[in-house]
Amino acid sequence: MTLKITLCALVGSAFVLGACTDPTSIDNVASGDPYGSTKQGALIGALAGGGLAAAAGGKSSKVLLGTAIGAAAGGALGSQLDRQAAELRQQLANDGITITNTGSQLIVTLPQSITFATDSFTVRDGLRADLMRVAAHLQRYPNSDVQIIGHTDSTGAASYNQDLSERRARAVSSVLAQGGVPQGRLVTVGMGENQPVASNQTAEGKARNRRVEIVIIPHV
């Protein structure tokens, strides 16, 4: 009987919250719903909270409490992401920078064409001001982890691309640190040519693959 009530509570929560959100939307703010991540976070948090309570053998009242607590935590996380995404879009001057709100993290994508010269890992002077704005933003939201991930296309030796991606990630991280972000929050990763977002068979695809991503992962 308890199991049936638990399942009903979880399914009911999913339907109630699911009516408020589109879980297939990747960038909720850009899609026209400024509270999309808040709603999606509440849904995910509710299901996670209720599921954990159920897995622990909780009674229906405990499952409902877990669902409510999870919804509150997930909603707070989503609200923070929505707010950060909106602020970054307003603050960054370069149209080439994109901000993707996945519902659990923000990805600030810096195309190689505006960040580095060919085969270089020195950040262009024209981009430093925007990176300083990102650094100031990160200081206003200290409850987040930051990953800086370098990517290349498949041109040339894989070992060279791996090294270049690592150097570029460290270069962007260094500018953020100069802007006041504590080094302990910054993790750099080089992916080389291993995570393309487009085909390496075309010039356009290669250009999209050459990038550095600043991944902001909030926690509450």
Side-chain angles (χ1 to χ4, degrees):
M1 182 65 177
T2 300
L3 178 59
K4 290 182 180 179
I5 295 175
T6 297
L7 291 175
C8 287
L10 289 174
V11 173
S13 299
F15 274 110
V16 171
L17 290 168
C20 301
T21 184
D22 177 10
T24 63
S25 173
I26 293 179
D27 192 341
N28 297 297
V29 176
S31 67
D33 185 354
Y35 306 107
S37 288
T38 304
K39 298 170 183 175
Q40 186 170 327
L43 172 61
I44 294 170
L47 293 177
L52 287 174
K59 296 180 179 179
S60 60
S61 59
K62 291 183 178 180
V63 172
L64 290 174
L65 178 60
T67 300
I69 293 173
L77 190 68
S79 177
Q80 178 177 323
L81 283 171
D82 290 330
R83 186 165 60 251
Q84 285 187 258
E87 288 183 11
L88 281 169
R89 288 192 179 90
Q90 292 177 349
Q91 293 161 1
L92 300 182
N94 197 308
D95 292 337
I97 300 174
T98 61
I99 300 163
T100 303
N101 186 345
T102 70
S104 61
Q105 61 190 20
L106 296 183
I107 303 175
V108 181
T109 302
L110 312 173
Q112 180 255 309
S113 59
I114 66 172
T115 313
F116 305 99
T118 302
D119 291 331
S120 171
F121 52 87
T122 300
V123 176
R124 292 182 188 271
D125 290 339
L127 191 67
R128 294 182 71 87
D130 272 326
L131 286 177
M132 287 297 177
R133 293 186 185 100
V134 173
H137 176 89
L138 291 173
Q139 291 179 76
R140 290 195 297 276
Y141 292 90
N143 294 325
S144 62
D145 300 318
V146 185
Q147 297 178 353
I148 300 93
I149 307 175
H151 302 269
T152 70
D153 62 27
S154 61
T155 302
S159 59
Y160 175 83
N161 290 333
Q162 178 63 37
D163 180 68
L164 182 62
S165 68
E166 293 173 4
R167 288 171 179 261
R168 286 179 167 174
R170 289 196 295 268
V172 171
S173 177
S174 177
V175 176
L176 294 177
Q178 292 169 23
V181 182
Q183 286 278 8
R185 290 181 64 193
L186 303 171
V187 177
T188 61
V189 181
M191 296 306 299
E193 60 191 61
N194 296 315
Q195 287 189 347
V197 293
S199 171
N200 276 307
Q201 303 303 311
T202 66
E204 180 182 5
K206 287 182 178 181
R208 290 183 58 196
N209 292 332
R210 297 189 296 266
R211 68 201 189 278
V212 172
E213 296 171 333
I214 302 172
V215 183
I216 304 170
I217 308 168
H219 46 80
V220 293

